[in-house]
Amino acid sequence: MQLGMIGLGRMGANMVRRLRRAGHDCVVHDVNEESIQALEVDGARGARSLEELVAKLDAPRHVWLMVPVALVDETLGRLVPLLGPDDCVIDGGNTHYVHDLRRAEDLVARSVHYVDCGVSGGVHGLERGYCLMVGGERSVVERLQPVFETLAPGVDAVPRSPGRVGEPSPEEQGWLHCGPAGAGHFVKMVHNGIEYALMAAYAEGLNLLKHADAGLVQRDKDAETSPLEHPERFHYRMDVAAITELWRRGSVIGSWLLDLTAASLRDSPDLEEYSGRVSDSGEGRWTVQAAVEAGVPVHTLSAALFDRFASRSEGDFSNKVLSAMRKAFGGHHEKKE
């Protein structure tokens, strides 16, 4: 199948390479000339402008955007006037689904189709494949099926679930038409909210293991330090890297996230190269917002989101307020490190 790809960063470039390996005709564009040239080596056809990209595609055209969320509207503003009736735009970035609803409605007036596709797989997707969560008109999604099937991991990526027999369904292959416009990014939004919580659970548990030697650490004996009541219960110097490697084998909490964590700890047991400042790109916030609007409790997901805020010192002033209050009512002075 023929596909145009705009945005050749870590995800877009490898998606093109995976498509090219399966023989798809890809026309590619990026603001970075070197990114275009790199994919031309792999057999893609480069385009140095949106006009050139559209001209190189046969109607009905299918153009996939893999650009930062902040650039989607700008890119659409330049691209859509170049398209014709029955052409299709696919947004594969981490877009808030409410923007999909607006964009799909806007494009209807131009007879241009809009498909939203949440993509999970990261920098390993070239070899492992990408999990694809798709929203849009069914007939257009069906047109794009060859692309989705190539990008997806395939049914052999994991053992089939008990009871799944016969011809593999799309979800068994690693892609799914989740519903009309916005449905794909809604599913991806919740996916990433869950990801936040899973990551936080691993991080907190491993941190407790790291501090299982608390009884071996000398504590200050003053009014500002809570004593450790039973220090003899915390005399363990845990090899956290070894434990994560252990848990990869037969444990009910085994996962690809744990695999990646074990590899990181093997290379750097104390993770000295990291500051602990954790960014959030939006999906966790949108998940919590959607849960509030729908009246659905998401205790763990919201806690994981707020923990990321705290990691970036967004709670520093509140901590200063706490110190001020303790000083005011009890004469407590802050302890210095």
Side-chain angles (χ1 to χ4, degrees):
M1 184 174 176
Q2 191 181 73
L3 184 75
M5 179 69 77
I6 300 174
L8 308 176
R10 289 172 297 181
M11 294 283 282
N14 278 344
M15 291 169 70
V16 170
R17 291 187 176 97
R18 188 171 174 90
L19 289 168
R20 285 295 306 139
R21 289 179 181 180
H24 293 275
D25 177 17
C26 298
V27 181
V28 300
H29 172 70
D30 193 273
V31 295
N32 187 325
E33 171 65 20
E34 292 181 357
S35 298
I36 298 175
Q37 292 177 359
L39 287 172
E40 286 178 325
V41 173
D42 291 324
R45 293 189 286 150
R48 271 63 189 179
S49 67
L50 296 185
E51 289 80 3
E52 183 183 354
L53 179 136
V54 171
K56 287 185 174 181
L57 293 171
D58 301 325
R61 305 169 186 86
H62 302 87
V63 183
W64 193 304
L65 306 185
M66 285 302 289
V67 300
V69 171
L71 299 179
V72 174
D73 278 329
E74 176 187 332
T75 305
L76 286 175
R78 294 187 291 116
L79 172 67
V80 172
L82 306 174
L83 301 178
D86 205 30
D87 287 351
C88 175
V89 176
I90 308 102
D91 178 11
N94 283 327
T95 290
H96 194 186
Y97 77 96
V98 297
H99 296 307
D100 294 321
L101 299 175
R102 167 178 57 81
R103 290 166 184 156
E105 184 176 352
D106 290 345
L107 293 187
V108 165
R110 296 177 176 269
S111 299
V112 174
H113 305 288
Y114 181 86
V115 170
D116 54 283
C117 183
V119 181
S120 183
V123 296
H124 301 275
L126 174 60
E127 303 301 334
R128 289 171 53 94
Y130 302 88
C131 177
L132 305 173
M133 297 146 266
V134 186
E137 303 163 73
R138 182 169 296 278
S139 60
V140 181
V141 171
E142 289 174 352
R143 245 164 51 182
L144 290 161
Q145 183 171 337
V147 169
F148 297 142
E149 289 182 342
T150 297
L151 291 174
V155 68
D156 295 331
V158 295
R160 298 185 78 179
S161 298
R164 293 273 190 173
V165 296
E167 189 70 20
S169 60
E171 61 268 28
E172 289 185 280
Q173 297 175 51
W175 73 277
L176 179 66
H177 181 212
C178 301
H185 279 145
F186 191 98
V187 174
K188 180 57 161 53
M189 172 187 74
V190 177
H191 166 284
N192 281 28
I194 293 172
E195 180 184 289
Y196 280 30
L198 289 173
M199 293 172 69
Y202 280 126
E204 290 179 9
L206 297 178
N207 192 38
L208 179 56
L209 289 172
K210 188 75 171 175
H211 289 85
D213 62 351
L216 299 173
V217 178
Q218 184 64 42
R219 291 190 170 215
D220 293 338
K221 296 180 180 179
D222 55 39
E224 303 302 317
T225 306
S226 175
L228 186 61
E229 187 173 354
H230 293 285
E232 72 279 2
R233 297 178 182 177
F234 296 91
H235 283 194
Y236 305 111
R237 296 197 185 278
M238 300 292 188
D239 186 339
V240 179
I243 291 169
T244 55
E245 190 65 34
L246 167 70
W247 285 349
R248 295 182 60 219
R249 293 162 173 80
S251 166
V252 297
I253 63 168
S255 71
W256 186 42
L257 274 175
L258 183 62
D259 295 344
L260 296 173
T261 304
S264 296
L265 289 169
R266 178 200 63 218
D267 295 337
S268 178
D270 293 317
L271 303 177
E272 298 98 336
E273 65 271 39
Y274 298 99
S275 68
R277 186 189 190 282
V278 187
S279 299
D280 75 289
S281 53
E283 297 89 344
R285 301 183 189 213
W286 304 334
T287 302
V288 173
Q289 290 169 355
V292 170
E293 292 181 18
V296 175
V298 287
H299 308 292
T300 307
L301 275 59
S302 58
L305 173 65
F306 294 143
D307 194 51
R308 293 196 177 197
F309 297 165
S311 78
R312 306 197 299 265
S313 301
E314 301 293 349
D316 282 2
F317 185 72
S318 66
N319 293 330
K320 291 179 180 180
V321 172
L322 290 173
S323 289
M325 288 189 288
R326 292 187 78 246
K327 175 75 163 25
F329 68 67
H332 300 281
H333 293 278
E334 281 189 329
K335 291 194 67 172
K336 303 305 178 184
E337 292 291 341

